[in-house]
Amino acid sequence: MPKYMWRVSYLQEGATGLLAQGGSARQAAITEMVESVGGQVEACYFAFGEDDLFVIGDVPDDVAAAALAIRTAAAGAAVSHTVGLLTPAQIDEAVALEVTYRPPA
């Protein structure tokens, strides 16, 4: 199953909800959302800086990942950026793949 990382930044409504519910409740809601599309959450970390939350998990495919992104955006409480993650073995496969490429002149 493909692995993704979601970088999340809360908007005012999302930060207000986090203040009211706390981090554990938010993690439970995120886990429920990811599981609803057949995935699972591996890690959930709150942070400070440009991003407020990092979630790492697996979902069945890009369609499921897109569904999560659309629902999050539609709710309007946070901005989420989906990052596809690759294992070292997948990179080994990628670098072994023959590619025809001509750099710009």
Coordinates of all heavy atoms in Angstrom, one line a residue:
M1 N 0.9 -1.2 0.0 CA 0.0 0.0 0.0 C 0.9 1.2 0.0 O 1.9 1.3 0.8 CB -0.9 0.0 1.2 CG -2.1 0.9 1.1 SD -3.3 0.8 2.4 CE -3.5 -0.8 2.9
P2 N 0.6 2.2 -0.8 CA 1.4 3.4 -0.9 C 1.5 4.2 0.4 O 0.5 4.2 1.1 CB 0.8 4.3 -2.0 CG 0.0 3.3 -2.8 CD -0.4 2.2 -1.9
K3 N 2.6 4.8 0.7 CA 2.8 5.5 2.0 C 2.8 7.0 1.6 O 3.4 7.4 0.6 CB 4.1 5.1 2.7 CG 4.2 5.7 4.1 CD 5.4 5.1 4.8 CE 5.3 3.7 5.1 NZ 4.2 3.3 6.1
Y4 N 2.2 7.8 2.5 CA 2.1 9.2 2.3 C 2.4 10.0 3.6 O 2.3 9.4 4.7 CB 0.7 9.7 1.9 CG 0.2 9.1 0.6 CD1 -0.4 7.8 0.5 CD2 0.4 9.7 -0.6 CE1 -0.8 7.3 -0.7 CE2 0.0 9.2 -1.8 CZ -0.6 8.0 -1.8 OH -1.0 7.4 -3.0
M5 N 2.8 11.2 3.4 CA 3.0 12.1 4.5 C 2.1 13.3 4.2 O 2.1 13.8 3.1 CB 4.4 12.6 4.7 CG 4.5 13.6 5.8 SD 6.2 14.2 6.1 CE 6.6 15.1 4.6
W6 N 1.3 13.7 5.2 CA 0.4 14.9 5.1 C 1.0 16.0 6.0 O 1.2 15.8 7.2 CB -1.0 14.6 5.5 CG -1.6 13.6 4.5 CD1 -2.2 13.9 3.3 CD2 -1.7 12.2 4.6 NE1 -2.7 12.8 2.7 CE2 -2.4 11.7 3.5 CE3 -1.3 11.3 5.6 CZ2 -2.7 10.3 3.3 CZ3 -1.6 9.9 5.4 CH2 -2.2 9.5 4.3
R7 N 1.3 17.1 5.4 CA 1.7 18.3 6.1 C 0.5 19.2 6.3 O -0.1 19.6 5.3 CB 2.8 19.1 5.3 CG 4.1 18.3 5.1 CD 5.1 19.0 4.2 NE 5.0 20.5 4.2 CZ 4.7 21.2 3.1 NH1 4.5 20.6 2.0 NH2 4.6 22.5 3.2
V8 N 0.2 19.5 7.5 CA -1.1 20.2 7.7 C -0.8 21.5 8.5 O 0.0 21.6 9.4 CB -2.0 19.4 8.6 CG1 -3.3 20.1 8.9 CG2 -2.3 18.0 7.9
S9 N -1.4 22.6 8.0 CA -1.4 23.9 8.7 C -2.8 24.3 9.0 O -3.7 24.3 8.2 CB -0.8 25.0 7.7 OG 0.5 24.6 7.4
Y10 N -3.0 24.5 10.3 CA -4.4 24.9 10.7 C -4.7 26.3 10.4 O -3.8 27.2 10.5 CB -4.5 24.7 12.3 CG -4.6 23.3 12.7 CD1 -3.7 22.6 13.4 CD2 -5.7 22.5 12.2 CE1 -3.8 21.3 13.8 CE2 -5.8 21.2 12.6 CZ -4.9 20.6 13.4 OH -5.0 19.3 13.7
L11 N -5.9 26.6 10.0 CA -6.4 27.9 9.9 C -7.1 28.3 11.2 O -7.1 27.5 12.1 CB -7.4 28.0 8.7 CG -6.9 27.5 7.3 CD1 -8.0 27.4 6.3 CD2 -5.8 28.5 6.9
Q12 N -7.6 29.5 11.3 CA -8.2 29.9 12.6 C -9.2 28.9 13.2 O -9.1 28.5 14.3 CB -8.8 31.3 12.5 CG -9.4 31.8 13.8 CD -10.0 33.2 13.7 OE1 -9.9 33.8 12.6 NE2 -10.5 33.7 14.8
E13 N -10.1 28.5 12.3 CA -11.2 27.5 12.8 C -10.6 26.2 13.3 O -11.0 25.7 14.3 CB -12.2 27.3 11.7 CG -13.3 26.3 12.1 CD -14.3 26.1 10.9 OE1 -14.3 26.9 10.0 OE2 -15.0 25.1 11.0
G14 N -9.6 25.7 12.6 CA -8.9 24.5 13.0 C -8.1 24.6 14.3 O -8.2 23.8 15.2
A15 N -7.4 25.8 14.5 CA -6.7 26.0 15.7 C -7.7 26.2 16.9 O -7.4 25.7 18.0 CB -5.8 27.3 15.6
T16 N -8.8 26.8 16.6 CA -9.8 27.0 17.7 C -10.4 25.6 18.1 O -10.5 25.3 19.3 CB -11.0 27.9 17.2 OG1 -10.4 29.1 16.9 CG2 -12.0 28.0 18.3
G17 N -10.6 24.7 17.1 CA -11.1 23.4 17.4 C -10.0 22.6 18.2 O -10.3 21.8 19.1
L18 N -8.7 22.7 17.8 CA -7.7 22.1 18.5 C -7.6 22.5 20.0 O -7.4 21.7 20.9 CB -6.3 22.3 17.8 CG -5.1 21.6 18.3 CD1 -5.3 20.1 18.3 CD2 -3.9 22.0 17.6
L19 N -7.7 23.8 20.2 CA -7.8 24.3 21.6 C -8.9 23.7 22.4 O -8.7 23.4 23.6 CB -7.9 25.9 21.6 CG -6.7 26.7 21.2 CD1 -7.0 28.1 21.0 CD2 -5.6 26.5 22.3
A20 N -10.1 23.5 21.7 CA -11.2 23.0 22.4 C -11.2 21.5 22.7 O -11.6 21.0 23.7 CB -12.5 23.4 21.6
Q21 N -10.6 20.8 21.7 CA -10.7 19.3 21.8 C -9.3 18.7 22.2 O -9.3 17.5 22.7 CB -11.0 18.7 20.4 CG -12.4 19.1 19.9 CD -12.7 18.6 18.5 OE1 -11.8 18.0 17.9 NE2 -13.9 18.8 18.1
G22 N -8.2 19.3 21.9 CA -6.9 18.8 22.3 C -6.4 17.9 21.1 O -7.1 17.5 20.2
G23 N -5.1 17.5 21.3 CA -4.4 16.8 20.3 C -4.8 15.3 20.1 O -4.9 14.8 19.0
S24 N -5.2 14.7 21.2 CA -5.6 13.2 21.2 C -6.9 13.1 20.4 O -7.0 12.1 19.6 CB -5.7 12.7 22.6 OG -4.4 12.6 23.2
A25 N -7.8 14.0 20.6 CA -9.1 13.9 19.9 C -8.9 14.2 18.4 O -9.5 13.5 17.6 CB -10.1 14.9 20.5
R26 N -8.0 15.1 18.1 CA -7.7 15.3 16.7 C -7.0 14.1 16.0 O -7.4 13.8 14.9 CB -6.8 16.6 16.6 CG -6.7 17.2 15.3 CD -8.0 17.9 14.9 NE -8.6 17.2 13.7 CZ -9.9 17.0 13.5 NH1 -10.8 17.3 14.4 NH2 -10.3 16.4 12.5
Q27 N -6.1 13.5 16.7 CA -5.4 12.3 16.2 C -6.5 11.2 16.0 O -6.4 10.5 14.9 CB -4.4 11.8 17.1 CG -3.7 10.6 16.6 CD -2.6 10.0 17.5 OE1 -2.5 10.5 18.7 NE2 -1.8 9.1 17.1
A28 N -7.4 11.0 16.9 CA -8.5 10.0 16.7 C -9.3 10.3 15.5 O -9.7 9.4 14.7 CB -9.3 9.9 18.0
A29 N -9.6 11.6 15.3 CA -10.5 12.0 14.1 C -9.7 11.7 12.8 O -10.3 11.3 11.8 CB -10.9 13.4 14.2
I30 N -8.4 12.0 12.8 CA -7.6 11.8 11.6 C -7.5 10.3 11.3 O -7.6 9.9 10.2 CB -6.2 12.4 11.8 CG1 -6.3 14.0 11.8 CG2 -5.2 12.0 10.7 CD1 -5.1 14.7 12.4
T31 N -7.2 9.5 12.4 CA -7.1 8.1 12.2 C -8.4 7.5 11.6 O -8.4 6.7 10.7 CB -6.8 7.4 13.6 OG1 -5.5 7.9 14.0 CG2 -6.7 5.9 13.4
E32 N -9.6 8.0 12.2 CA -10.9 7.5 11.7 C -11.0 7.9 10.2 O -11.5 7.1 9.4 CB -12.0 8.2 12.5 CG -13.4 7.7 12.1 CD -14.5 8.4 12.9 OE1 -14.2 9.3 13.7 OE2 -15.6 8.0 12.7
M33 N -10.6 9.1 9.8 CA -10.8 9.5 8.4 C -9.9 8.6 7.5 O -10.4 8.2 6.5 CB -10.3 11.0 8.3 CG -10.4 11.5 6.9 SD -10.0 13.3 6.7 CE -8.3 13.3 7.0
V34 N -8.6 8.4 7.9 CA -7.7 7.6 7.0 C -8.3 6.2 7.0 O -8.3 5.5 5.9 CB -6.3 7.7 7.6 CG1 -5.4 6.7 6.8 CG2 -5.8 9.1 7.4
E35 N -8.7 5.6 8.1 CA -9.2 4.2 8.1 C -10.5 4.1 7.2 O -10.8 3.1 6.6 CB -9.5 3.8 9.5 CG -8.2 3.5 10.2 CD -8.4 3.1 11.7 OE1 -9.5 3.2 12.2 OE2 -7.4 2.7 12.3
S36 N -11.3 5.2 7.1 CA -12.5 5.2 6.3 C -12.3 4.9 4.8 O -13.2 4.5 4.1 CB -13.3 6.5 6.6 OG -12.8 7.6 5.8
V37 N -11.1 5.2 4.4 CA -10.7 5.0 2.9 C -9.9 3.7 2.8 O -9.2 3.5 1.8 CB -10.1 6.2 2.3 CG1 -11.0 7.4 2.2 CG2 -8.7 6.6 2.9
G38 N -9.8 2.9 3.9 CA -9.0 1.7 3.8 C -7.5 1.8 4.2 O -6.8 0.9 3.9
G39 N -7.2 2.9 4.8 CA -5.8 3.1 5.2 C -5.5 3.0 6.6 O -6.4 2.6 7.4
Q40 N -4.3 3.3 7.0 CA -4.0 3.3 8.4 C -2.9 4.4 8.7 O -2.1 4.7 7.9 CB -3.4 2.0 8.9 CG -2.1 1.5 8.3 CD -1.7 0.2 8.8 OE1 -2.5 -0.7 9.2 NE2 -0.4 -0.1 8.8
V41 N -3.0 5.0 9.9 CA -2.0 6.0 10.3 C -0.9 5.3 11.0 O -1.1 4.5 12.0 CB -2.7 7.0 11.3 CG1 -1.7 8.0 11.9 CG2 -3.8 7.8 10.5
E42 N 0.3 5.7 10.6 CA 1.5 5.1 11.2 C 2.0 6.1 12.3 O 2.5 5.6 13.4 CB 2.6 5.0 10.2 CG 3.9 4.4 10.7 CD 4.9 4.3 9.6 OE1 4.6 3.8 8.5 OE2 6.1 4.8 9.8
A43 N 2.0 7.4 12.1 CA 2.5 8.4 13.0 C 1.7 9.7 12.9 O 1.3 10.0 11.8 CB 4.0 8.6 12.8
C44 N 1.6 10.4 14.0 CA 0.9 11.7 14.0 C 1.7 12.6 14.9 O 1.7 12.3 16.1 CB -0.5 11.5 14.4 SG -1.5 13.0 14.4
Y45 N 2.3 13.6 14.4 CA 3.1 14.5 15.3 C 2.6 16.0 15.1 O 2.5 16.4 13.9 CB 4.6 14.4 14.9 CG 5.2 13.1 15.3 CD1 5.4 12.1 14.3 CD2 5.6 12.9 16.6 CE1 5.9 10.9 14.7 CE2 6.1 11.7 16.9 CZ 6.3 10.7 16.0 OH 6.9 9.5 16.3
F46 N 2.4 16.7 16.2 CA 2.1 18.1 16.1 C 3.5 18.8 16.1 O 4.5 18.3 16.6 CB 1.3 18.5 17.3 CG -0.1 18.0 17.2 CD1 -0.5 16.8 17.7 CD2 -1.1 18.8 16.5 CE1 -1.8 16.3 17.6 CE2 -2.4 18.3 16.4 CZ -2.7 17.1 16.9
A47 N 3.5 20.0 15.5 CA 4.8 20.7 15.4 C 4.5 22.2 15.5 O 3.3 22.6 15.5 CB 5.4 20.4 14.0
F48 N 5.5 23.0 15.5 CA 5.4 24.4 15.4 C 6.3 24.9 14.3 O 7.3 24.3 13.9 CB 5.6 25.1 16.7 CG 6.9 24.7 17.4 CD1 8.1 25.3 17.2 CD2 6.8 23.7 18.4 CE1 9.2 25.0 17.9 CE2 7.9 23.3 19.1 CZ 9.1 24.0 18.8
G49 N 5.9 26.0 13.7 CA 6.6 26.5 12.5 C 5.6 26.6 11.4 O 4.4 26.9 11.6
E50 N 6.1 26.4 10.2 CA 5.2 26.5 9.0 C 4.1 25.5 9.0 O 3.0 25.8 8.5 CB 6.1 26.4 7.7 CG 5.4 26.8 6.5 CD 6.3 26.8 5.3 OE1 7.5 27.0 5.4 OE2 5.8 26.6 4.2
D51 N 4.4 24.3 9.4 CA 3.4 23.2 9.5 C 3.0 22.9 11.0 O 3.9 23.0 11.8 CB 3.9 21.9 8.8 CG 4.2 22.1 7.4 OD1 3.3 22.6 6.6 OD2 5.3 21.8 6.9
D52 N 1.8 22.7 11.2 CA 1.3 22.4 12.6 C 1.2 20.9 12.9 O 1.1 20.6 14.1 CB -0.1 23.1 12.8 CG -0.1 24.6 12.6 OD1 0.8 25.2 13.2 OD2 -0.9 25.1 11.8
L53 N 1.1 20.1 11.9 CA 0.9 18.7 12.1 C 1.5 17.9 10.9 O 1.4 18.3 9.8 CB -0.6 18.4 12.1 CG -1.2 17.0 12.2 CD1 -0.8 16.4 13.5 CD2 -2.7 17.0 12.0
F54 N 2.1 16.8 11.2 CA 2.6 15.8 10.3 C 1.9 14.5 10.5 O 1.9 14.0 11.7 CB 4.1 15.7 10.4 CG 4.9 16.9 9.9 CD1 5.2 17.8 10.9 CD2 5.3 17.1 8.6 CE1 5.9 19.0 10.5 CE2 5.9 18.2 8.2 CZ 6.3 19.2 9.2
V55 N 1.4 13.9 9.5 CA 0.8 12.6 9.6 C 1.4 11.7 8.6 O 1.6 12.1 7.4 CB -0.8 12.6 9.3 CG1 -1.4 11.2 9.4 CG2 -1.4 13.6 10.3
I56 N 1.8 10.5 9.0 CA 2.4 9.5 8.0 C 1.5 8.3 8.1 O 1.1 7.8 9.2 CB 3.8 9.1 8.4 CG1 4.7 10.4 8.3 CG2 4.4 8.0 7.5 CD1 6.1 10.2 8.8
G57 N 1.1 7.8 6.9 CA 0.3 6.6 6.9 C 0.2 6.0 5.5 O 0.8 6.5 4.5
D58 N -0.6 5.0 5.4 CA -0.8 4.3 4.1 C -2.3 4.4 3.7 O -3.2 4.3 4.6 CB -0.5 2.8 4.3 CG 0.9 2.5 4.9 OD1 1.8 3.1 4.4 OD2 1.0 1.7 5.8
V59 N -2.5 4.6 2.5 CA -3.9 4.5 1.9 C -3.7 3.7 0.6 O -2.7 3.6 0.0 CB -4.5 5.9 1.7 CG1 -4.8 6.6 3.0 CG2 -3.7 6.8 0.7
P60 N -4.8 3.1 0.2 CA -4.8 2.2 -1.0 C -4.2 2.7 -2.3 O -3.5 2.0 -3.0 CB -6.2 1.7 -1.2 CG -6.9 1.9 0.1 CD -6.2 3.1 0.7
D61 N -4.4 4.0 -2.6 CA -4.0 4.5 -3.9 C -4.1 6.1 -3.9 O -4.6 6.7 -2.9 CB -4.7 3.9 -5.0 CG -6.3 4.0 -4.8 OD1 -6.8 5.0 -4.3 OD2 -6.9 3.0 -5.2
D62 N -3.7 6.7 -5.0 CA -3.8 8.1 -5.1 C -5.3 8.6 -5.1 O -5.5 9.7 -4.6 CB -3.2 8.6 -6.5 CG -1.7 8.5 -6.4 OD1 -1.1 8.4 -5.3 OD2 -1.1 8.5 -7.5
V63 N -6.2 7.8 -5.5 CA -7.6 8.2 -5.5 C -8.0 8.4 -4.0 O -8.7 9.4 -3.6 CB -8.5 7.2 -6.2 CG1 -10.0 7.5 -6.0 CG2 -8.2 7.2 -7.7
A64 N -7.7 7.5 -3.1 CA -8.0 7.6 -1.7 C -7.3 8.8 -1.1 O -7.9 9.5 -0.3 CB -7.6 6.3 -1.0
A65 N -6.0 9.0 -1.5 CA -5.3 10.2 -1.0 C -5.9 11.5 -1.4 O -6.0 12.4 -0.7 CB -3.8 10.1 -1.4
A66 N -6.4 11.5 -2.7 CA -7.1 12.7 -3.2 C -8.4 12.9 -2.4 O -8.8 14.1 -2.1 CB -7.3 12.5 -4.7
A67 N -9.1 11.8 -2.1 CA -10.4 12.0 -1.4 C -10.1 12.6 0.0 O -10.9 13.5 0.4 CB -11.0 10.6 -1.2
L68 N -9.1 12.2 0.6 CA -8.7 12.8 1.9 C -8.4 14.3 1.8 O -8.9 15.1 2.6 CB -7.6 12.1 2.6 CG -7.8 10.6 2.9 CD1 -6.5 10.0 3.4 CD2 -8.9 10.4 3.9
A69 N -7.6 14.6 0.8 CA -7.2 16.0 0.5 C -8.5 16.9 0.2 O -8.6 18.0 0.7 CB -6.2 16.1 -0.6
I70 N -9.4 16.4 -0.6 CA -10.6 17.1 -1.0 C -11.4 17.4 0.2 O -11.9 18.5 0.5 CB -11.3 16.4 -2.1 CG1 -10.5 16.5 -3.4 CG2 -12.7 17.0 -2.3 CD1 -11.0 15.5 -4.4
R71 N -11.7 16.4 1.0 CA -12.5 16.5 2.3 C -11.9 17.5 3.2 O -12.6 18.3 3.8 CB -12.7 15.2 2.9 CG -13.5 14.2 2.2 CD -14.9 14.6 2.0 NE -15.6 13.6 1.2 CZ -16.8 13.6 0.9 NH1 -17.6 14.6 1.3 NH2 -17.4 12.7 0.1
T72 N -10.6 17.4 3.4 CA -9.9 18.4 4.3 C -10.0 19.8 3.8 O -10.4 20.7 4.6 CB -8.4 18.0 4.5 OG1 -8.3 16.6 5.0 CG2 -7.7 18.9 5.4
A73 N -9.8 20.0 2.5 CA -9.9 21.3 1.9 C -11.4 21.9 2.0 O -11.6 23.0 2.4 CB -9.5 21.3 0.5
A74 N -12.3 21.0 1.8 CA -13.7 21.4 1.8 C -14.2 21.8 3.2 O -15.0 22.7 3.4 CB -14.6 20.3 1.3
A75 N -13.6 21.2 4.2 CA -14.0 21.6 5.6 C -13.5 23.0 6.0 O -14.1 23.6 6.9 CB -13.4 20.5 6.6
G76 N -12.4 23.5 5.4 CA -12.0 24.8 5.6 C -11.3 25.1 6.9 O -11.0 26.3 7.2
A77 N -10.9 24.1 7.6 CA -10.2 24.4 8.9 C -8.7 24.2 8.9 O -8.0 24.6 9.8 CB -10.8 23.4 10.0
A78 N -8.2 23.6 7.8 CA -6.8 23.4 7.6 C -6.4 23.3 6.2 O -7.3 23.0 5.3 CB -6.4 22.1 8.3
V79 N -5.2 23.5 5.9 CA -4.6 23.3 4.6 C -3.7 22.1 4.7 O -2.8 22.1 5.5 CB -3.8 24.6 4.1 CG1 -3.1 24.3 2.8 CG2 -4.7 25.8 4.0
S80 N -3.9 21.2 3.8 CA -3.1 19.9 3.8 C -2.3 19.7 2.5 O -2.9 20.0 1.5 CB -4.1 18.7 4.1 OG -3.4 17.5 4.0
H81 N -1.1 19.3 2.6 CA -0.3 19.0 1.5 C 0.1 17.5 1.5 O 0.7 17.1 2.5 CB 1.0 19.9 1.5 CG 0.7 21.3 1.4 ND1 0.4 22.0 0.3 CD2 0.7 22.3 2.4 CE1 0.2 23.3 0.5 NE2 0.3 23.5 1.8
T82 N -0.2 16.8 0.5 CA 0.0 15.4 0.4 C 1.4 15.1 -0.2 O 1.6 15.6 -1.3 CB -1.1 14.7 -0.3 OG1 -2.4 15.0 0.2 CG2 -0.9 13.2 -0.3
V83 N 2.2 14.3 0.4 CA 3.5 14.0 -0.1 C 3.6 12.5 -0.2 O 3.4 11.8 0.8 CB 4.7 14.5 0.8 CG1 6.0 14.1 0.3 CG2 4.5 16.0 1.0
G84 N 3.8 12.0 -1.4 CA 4.0 10.5 -1.6 C 5.4 10.2 -1.2 O 6.4 10.9 -1.4
L85 N 5.5 9.1 -0.4 CA 6.8 8.6 0.1 C 7.2 7.3 -0.5 O 6.4 6.5 -0.9 CB 6.7 8.4 1.7 CG 6.3 9.6 2.5 CD1 6.1 9.2 3.9 CD2 7.3 10.8 2.3
L86 N 8.6 7.2 -0.7 CA 9.1 6.0 -1.3 C 10.1 5.4 -0.4 O 10.9 6.1 0.3 CB 9.8 6.4 -2.7 CG 8.9 7.0 -3.7 CD1 9.7 7.6 -4.9 CD2 7.9 6.0 -4.3
T87 N 10.2 4.1 -0.4 CA 11.2 3.3 0.4 C 12.5 3.4 -0.4 O 12.6 3.6 -1.6 CB 10.8 1.9 0.6 OG1 10.8 1.2 -0.7 CG2 9.4 1.8 1.2
P88 N 13.6 3.1 0.3 CA 14.9 2.9 -0.4 C 14.9 1.9 -1.5 O 15.5 2.1 -2.5 CB 15.9 2.5 0.8 CG 15.3 3.2 2.0 CD 13.8 3.0 1.8
A89 N 14.2 0.8 -1.3 CA 14.1 -0.3 -2.3 C 13.3 0.3 -3.5 O 13.7 -0.1 -4.7 CB 13.3 -1.5 -1.7
Q90 N 12.3 1.1 -3.4 CA 11.6 1.7 -4.5 C 12.6 2.6 -5.3 O 12.5 2.7 -6.5 CB 10.4 2.4 -4.0 CG 9.3 1.5 -3.6 CD 8.1 2.3 -3.0 OE1 8.3 3.0 -2.1 NE2 6.9 2.0 -3.5
I91 N 13.4 3.3 -4.6 CA 14.4 4.2 -5.2 C 15.4 3.3 -6.0 O 15.8 3.7 -7.1 CB 15.1 5.1 -4.2 CG1 14.1 6.2 -3.7 CG2 16.3 5.9 -4.9 CD1 13.4 7.0 -4.7
D92 N 15.8 2.2 -5.4 CA 16.7 1.3 -6.1 C 16.1 0.9 -7.5 O 16.7 0.8 -8.5 CB 17.0 0.0 -5.3 CG 17.9 0.3 -4.1 OD1 18.5 1.4 -4.0 OD2 17.9 -0.5 -3.2
E93 N 14.8 0.5 -7.4 CA 14.1 0.2 -8.7 C 14.1 1.4 -9.6 O 14.3 1.2 -10.9 CB 12.6 -0.2 -8.4 CG 12.5 -1.6 -7.7 CD 11.0 -1.9 -7.5 OE1 10.2 -1.8 -8.4 OE2 10.7 -2.3 -6.3
A94 N 13.8 2.5 -9.1 CA 13.8 3.7 -10.0 C 15.1 4.0 -10.7 O 15.1 4.3 -11.9 CB 13.3 4.9 -9.2
V95 N 16.2 3.9 -9.9 CA 17.5 4.2 -10.6 C 17.9 3.1 -11.5 O 18.7 3.4 -12.4 CB 18.6 4.5 -9.5 CG1 18.2 5.7 -8.7 CG2 18.9 3.4 -8.6
A96 N 17.4 1.9 -11.4 CA 17.7 0.9 -12.3 C 16.9 0.9 -13.6 O 17.2 0.3 -14.6 CB 17.5 -0.5 -11.6
L97 N 15.8 1.7 -13.6 CA 15.0 1.8 -14.8 C 15.6 2.6 -15.9 O 16.2 3.7 -15.6 CB 13.7 2.5 -14.3 CG 12.4 2.3 -15.1 CD1 12.0 0.8 -15.1 CD2 11.3 3.1 -14.6
E98 N 15.7 2.1 -17.1 CA 16.2 2.8 -18.2 C 15.3 3.9 -18.6 O 14.1 3.7 -18.8 CB 16.4 1.8 -19.4 CG 17.5 0.8 -19.2 CD 18.9 1.5 -19.1 OE1 19.2 2.5 -19.8 OE2 19.7 1.0 -18.3
V99 N 15.9 5.1 -18.7 CA 15.1 6.3 -19.1 C 15.8 7.0 -20.2 O 17.0 7.2 -20.2 CB 15.0 7.3 -17.9 CG1 14.3 8.6 -18.3 CG2 14.3 6.6 -16.7
T100 N 15.0 7.4 -21.2 CA 15.6 8.2 -22.3 C 15.4 9.7 -22.0 O 14.2 10.1 -21.8 CB 14.9 7.9 -23.7 OG1 15.0 6.5 -23.9 CG2 15.4 8.7 -24.8
Y101 N 16.5 10.4 -21.8 CA 16.4 11.8 -21.5 C 17.4 12.6 -22.2 O 18.6 12.1 -22.3 CB 16.6 11.9 -19.9 CG 16.7 13.4 -19.5 CD1 15.6 14.2 -19.5 CD2 17.9 13.9 -19.1 CE1 15.6 15.5 -19.1 CE2 18.0 15.2 -18.7 CZ 16.9 16.0 -18.7 OH 17.0 17.3 -18.3
R102 N 17.1 13.7 -22.7 CA 18.0 14.6 -23.4 C 17.9 16.0 -22.7 O 16.8 16.6 -22.7 CB 17.7 14.7 -24.8 CG 18.7 15.6 -25.6 CD 18.4 15.6 -27.1 NE 17.0 15.9 -27.5 CZ 16.5 17.2 -27.6 NH1 17.2 18.2 -27.4 NH2 15.2 17.4 -27.9
P103 N 18.9 16.4 -22.0 CA 18.8 17.8 -21.4 C 18.6 18.9 -22.4 O 19.0 18.7 -23.6 CB 20.2 17.9 -20.6 CG 21.0 16.7 -21.0 CD 20.2 15.8 -21.9
P104 N 18.1 20.0 -21.9 CA 17.9 21.1 -22.9 C 19.3 21.6 -23.4 O 20.3 21.5 -22.6 CB 17.3 22.2 -22.0 CG 17.0 21.6 -20.7 CD 17.6 20.3 -20.6
A105 N 19.3 22.0 -24.6 CA 20.6 22.4 -25.2 C 21.0 23.8 -24.8 O 20.3 24.6 -24.4 CB 20.5 22.4 -26.7

